[in-house]
Amino acid sequence: MSERVDVAIVGGGMVGGTLAAALAQAGLTVALIDRADPAAQFEEAYDGRTVAIAHATHRLMQATGLWARLVPHAEPILDIRVSDGLSLLFLHYDHRDLGEDPLGYIVENRAIRRALFARLSGLDALSVRAPVDLERHIVMPEGVVLTLADGSEIAASLLVAADGSDSALRRLAGIASTQWDYGQTAIVCTMGHERPHRGVAHERFLPAGPFAVLPMTDDPVHGHRSSIVWTEKKALAPAMLALSDADFSLELHRRFGPWLGAVRVVGGRWSYPLRFAHAETYIKPRLALVGDAAHTMHPIAGQGLNIGLRDVAALAEVLVEAKRLGLDLGSPAVLERYQRWRRFDNQVLLSVTDSLNWLFSNDLPPVRLLRDVGMAAVNRMAPLKRLFMRHAMGVVGELPRLLRGEAL
Ligand SMILES: Cc1cc2nc3c(=O)[nH]c(=O)nc-3n(C[C@H](O)[C@H](O)[C@H](O)COP(=O)(O)OP(=O)(O)OC[C@H]3O[C@@H](n4cnc5c(N)ncnc54)[C@H](O)[C@@H]3O)c2cc1C
């Protein structure tokens, strides 16, 4: 006996899980399939990263019933200070230039996963199938049939690939993707420090790439904490990761300086190879790609998840409207609307982010001069600075309803 749903989503990460919540709370029937055990995803060992949640994403999380569970884990970003190695020129973004709202929030990925699964378990229109592998799927004119490794079958009008950067569904659908390797590795850890961070996020550009210090909530055991995203040359990263805690903490101090007093690494260290990827299309018959399955970007601007959740907001709006009008959810007309809304927008942001990484991970003297003068100039141009801040907050462009904080 197969389960019959409107939408089957493969990949229950932060993107797939949020899409499932948005659709199910609007009354669509959904099956969410993930090969990882949800309980394992809540452990520090699974993912030690934090994510910078833009202001618009925060509104989506409110509208999908996630935010109340995240409040104790979310540290507001009040200021962002961008500096270039030893140069005295810098760029300073202050949230008060735009009003009362913070520029965004820093939240641990595993706190988001925990909140998501708690939210999903309260939604009747949704079934979560995990841990289980997708064995095969067949696309037919009237729908898609999925067979899971436990032998069960799911029939759906639409299949959504939210299976991450290495998406098997994207490959199986024959969708090519433009991609390259940055030759950089992101080293991620949590840093305990003597002085409070006061909600300031720092991004310091070093020859190997950006070194970000992101404010986290205080912890009863470790006290003041910040999350580190340290971009290192791929060849050097293994040696850095192998350092003792004392030597690793010394390297953190050397890169960041005395701003927060004495610093030490707390907990584990993680590493992520960095690459660019953009799928040539987000849609095929009865298939839509969302999140990292569609695009993978450098974390320099902290936007990968934010744009993945923009995909979610647009696709959910398109599908809920189609359902109300009695349209076929997997039809080309419905899916084309999603693709038109998101792909070009993502292409622009991916290109800008790629250029930023080139500009700031470069030690050529003329390039250094160009970026330092550029940063100092932007710092003095209040309207331009406000525009950049509004972009980082995700409040520019044609926003889907969830990103405006409205229910579907
Ligand atoms: C160092 C670093 C820092 C970052 N910082 C930020 C930030 O500050 N702000 C920001 O917005 N973004 C940030 N990002 C990007 C962000 O982490 C990603 O964009 C986001 O996690 C992508 O989520 P996803 O759900 O699309 O994919 P994933 O998190 O990869 O989830 C994919 C899911 O699919 C499941 N899956 C895969 N294949 C199958 C299969 N065959 N069958 C069943 N299930 C399957 C997996 O188990 C997983 O649960 C950062 C990235 C890095 C590397």
Side-chain angles (χ1 to χ4, degrees):
M1 268 278 287
S2 63
E3 180 186 355
R4 165 95 230 161
V5 292
D6 292 318
V7 182
I9 304 170
V10 173
M14 293 184 281
V15 169
T18 308
L19 178 65
L23 294 177
Q25 87 178 20
L28 272 69
T29 50
V30 181
L32 180 66
I33 300 130
D34 200 296
R35 63 179 172 202
D37 183 350
Q41 295 190 33
F42 308 155
E43 297 299 322
E44 193 195 16
Y46 186 82
D47 186 347
R49 283 175 297 177
T50 58
V51 71
I53 297 291
H55 182 65
T57 304
H58 155 245
R59 294 198 296 222
L60 171 143
M61 289 181 161
Q62 283 177 320
T64 45
L66 290 174
W67 192 250
R69 291 184 171 90
L70 288 175
V71 171
H73 309 285
E75 182 65 30
I77 307 169
L78 303 179
D79 293 32
I80 301 176
R81 199 182 160 96
V82 184
S83 56
D84 187 10
L86 297 175
S87 164
L88 295 175
L89 301 175
F90 64 90
L91 183 52
H92 177 215
Y93 295 113
D94 183 337
H95 76 293
R96 286 168 303 191
D97 289 345
L98 285 183
E100 290 302 308
D101 288 327
L103 296 167
Y105 296 85
I106 299 295
V107 189
E108 284 166 275
N109 287 10
R110 61 180 189 280
I112 298 178
R113 290 203 171 90
R114 229 180 287 124
L116 252 177
F117 275 91
R119 175 73 187 119
L120 296 177
S121 63
L123 291 164
D124 292 339
L126 175 94
S127 68
V128 177
R129 309 286 200 92
V132 69
D133 263 309
L134 171 65
E135 204 156 85
R136 63 178 178 275
H137 71 281
I138 304 171
V139 182
M140 291 180 296
E142 64 283 6
V144 193
V145 178
L146 291 79
T147 307
L148 307 186
D150 60 9
S152 60
E153 282 195 347
I154 300 170
S157 302
L158 176 68
L159 173 59
V160 175
D163 50 348
S165 180
D166 195 25
S167 169
L169 285 179
R170 185 187 63 222
R171 267 199 317 276
L172 287 170
I175 299 176
S177 137
T178 309
Q179 42 187 304
W180 55 81
D181 191 323
Y182 283 115
Q184 294 171 317
T185 298
I187 299 175
V188 172
C189 67
T190 300
M191 177 175 88
H193 40 83
E194 198 181 3
R195 297 194 203 122
H197 48 57
R198 301 185 196 288
V200 183
H202 293 261
E203 184 135 51
R204 171 166 263 195
F205 293 108
L206 300 174
F211 182 85
V213 181
L214 309 167
M216 293 171 74
T217 51
D218 280 355
D219 177 82
V221 179
H222 300 299
H224 305 311
R225 301 179 304 160
S226 292
S227 172
I228 302 293
V229 184
W230 161 5
T231 307
E232 191 44 88
K233 291 195 179 84
K234 204 175 192 169
L236 274 181
M240 295 298 173
L241 286 160
L243 291 175
S244 68
D245 276 0
D247 288 342
F248 190 84
S249 302
L250 212 66
E251 289 296 330
L252 294 179
H253 192 267
R254 236 164 52 80
R255 278 164 179 74
F256 183 59
W259 297 88
L260 296 172
V263 301
R264 69 202 182 286
V265 57
V266 295
R269 300 167 203 173
W270 292 261
S271 65
Y272 300 86
L274 298 180
R275 64 192 196 96
F276 174 102
H278 198 201
E280 67 177 15
T281 175
Y282 289 4
I283 57 171
K284 279 272 170 159
R286 301 207 171 273
L287 176 72
L289 309 184
V290 288
D292 273 25
H295 43 73
T296 304
M297 68 199 300
H298 197 286
I300 187 170
Q303 290 295 335
L305 178 67
N306 288 296
I307 66 165
L309 294 180
R310 270 191 173 228
D311 301 345
V312 164
L315 182 60
E317 188 164 325
V318 166
L319 294 178
V320 169
E321 277 177 22
K323 177 81 180 173
R324 283 187 190 136
L325 295 171
L327 303 176
D328 177 353
L329 301 185
S331 66
V334 170
L335 298 182
E336 279 292 350
R337 199 178 150 217
Y338 161 62
Q339 159 129 299
R340 273 199 308 276
W341 204 344
R342 293 304 309 140
R343 196 174 178 285
F344 179 70
D345 209 21
N346 286 344
Q347 178 67 60
V348 172
L349 189 74
L350 283 156
S351 304
V352 169
T353 308
D354 183 58
S355 310
L356 273 180
N357 186 51
W358 178 84
L359 186 64
F360 283 101
S361 304
N362 196 315
D363 214 21
L364 291 174
V367 179
R368 264 195 349 239
L369 181 69
L370 174 76
R371 71 189 181 218
D372 287 357
V373 171
M375 274 192 335
V378 172
N379 202 40
R380 298 166 74 96
M381 287 188 246
L384 192 59
K385 229 163 76 165
R386 282 199 292 272
L387 179 69
F388 285 163
M389 280 195 274
R390 288 173 54 75
H391 270 285
M393 291 169 84
V395 292
V396 179
E398 190 200 345
L399 292 186
R401 288 215 295 274
L402 287 173
L403 291 176
R404 300 198 301 258
E406 296 165 19
L408 290 176

